[in-house]
Amino acid sequence: MIHDVQVKALKVMTDERGFLMEMLRADDSLFEAFGQVYITGCRRGVAKGWHYHREQTDHFICVSGVALVVLYDGREDSPTHGETQEFILAAPPSPDPAPLLLKIPPLVLHGFTAAGCDEARIINIPTRVYRYENPDEFRVPWDSRDVPYRWPSEVVRGG
C-alpha cells in the first residue's frame, strides 16, 4: 500500500426497499476535515488524470459503474516513492468488489477511468474547499512518461 493511503470498507445495508451505505463519518479514524462534496464522471476510453494536491486529501467513493483508480507516489521522502497502485472502486450495492472509500493524501498523483462500463461516477469528499482564484490542483499529462504506469489499452485519451 502506498504510504498514507487508506482504504475503508463500506458497509451496504439492504432490505426490500433498497439499500443504505454510509460513506464518511466525522467519527471515522481516517476523517481529517470537511471541505466540500462533489461528483465527477469519466467515460470509457478516457483517463481523468494525472493530478495531485499540495494541501488537500481526497476521499473517493464510486457511486455509479466501476472505476479504475490509479495512484503514483512521487513524493521524494516517502517510503513508497516510485510505486504505483491500482484500486477498483465499484458502486453499491455491488458485493464483488465490495464498495470502498479510498483516502488519497496530498502529493500523491492520481487519476481514474471507467472500467468495463460506459461511465464511472465518483463522489469526492476533499478536506479543503476548491479555491477558484488559486486552485490546489497540479496536473501532469495522462500519458506522461514520467509516471511509470500505462493505462489499459481501451484508454485512448486523457483530460
Side-chain angles (χ1 to χ4, degrees), residues 4-23:
D4 294 328
V5 170
Q6 294 180 21
V7 175
K8 173 188 172 185
L10 298 176
K11 182 179 178 183
V12 179
M13 292 149 289
T14 61
D15 63 23
E16 68 280 352
R17 301 168 298 162
F19 73 92
L20 178 137
M21 181 182 77
E22 292 180 343
M23 294 185 286

Side-chain angles (χ1 to χ4, degrees), residues 22 36 41 50 66 71 81-82 86 97-98 105 117 137 147:
E22 292 180 343
Q36 66 181 52
W50 299 101
V66 178
L71 310 181
H81 172 75
E86 295 179 329
C117 58
E137 186 167 278
V147 180

Side-chain angles (χ1 to χ4, degrees), residues 15-142:
D15 63 23
E16 68 280 352
R17 301 168 298 162
F19 73 92
L20 178 137
M21 181 182 77
E22 292 180 343
M23 294 185 286
L24 183 61
R25 298 170 47 106
D27 59 356
D28 281 342
S29 63
L30 56 67
F31 179 80
E32 291 176 46
F34 174 79
Q36 66 181 52
V37 176
Y38 69 84
I39 187 168
T40 181
C42 187
R43 294 188 176 101
R44 180 192 300 261
V46 179
K48 267 198 163 178
W50 299 101
H51 76 277
Y52 67 94
H53 311 282
R54 289 189 178 139
E55 302 167 10
Q56 167 178 309
T57 297
D58 285 339
H59 299 90
F60 279 14
I61 304 107
C62 185
V63 295
S64 178
V66 178
L68 167 64
V69 180
V70 185
L71 310 181
Y72 170 66
D73 190 356
R75 300 170 294 176
E76 294 289 334
D77 61 345
S78 171
T80 54
H81 172 75
E83 291 184 22
T84 59
Q85 190 166 7
E86 295 179 329
F87 292 89
I88 299 295
L89 302 184
S94 172
D96 187 30
L100 300 172
L101 177 146
L102 177 61
K103 181 177 180 177
I104 306 168
L107 302 175
V108 171
L109 208 59
H110 51 285
F112 80 100
T113 189
C117 58
D118 290 335
E119 184 178 60
R121 293 181 183 167
I122 286 179
I123 286 182
N124 185 20
I125 309 167
T127 56
R128 305 265 200 258
V129 296
Y130 186 81
R131 296 184 312 245
Y132 295 98
E133 301 301 319
N134 184 23
D136 178 28
E137 186 167 278
F138 305 90
R139 296 189 176 275
V140 174
W142 73 279

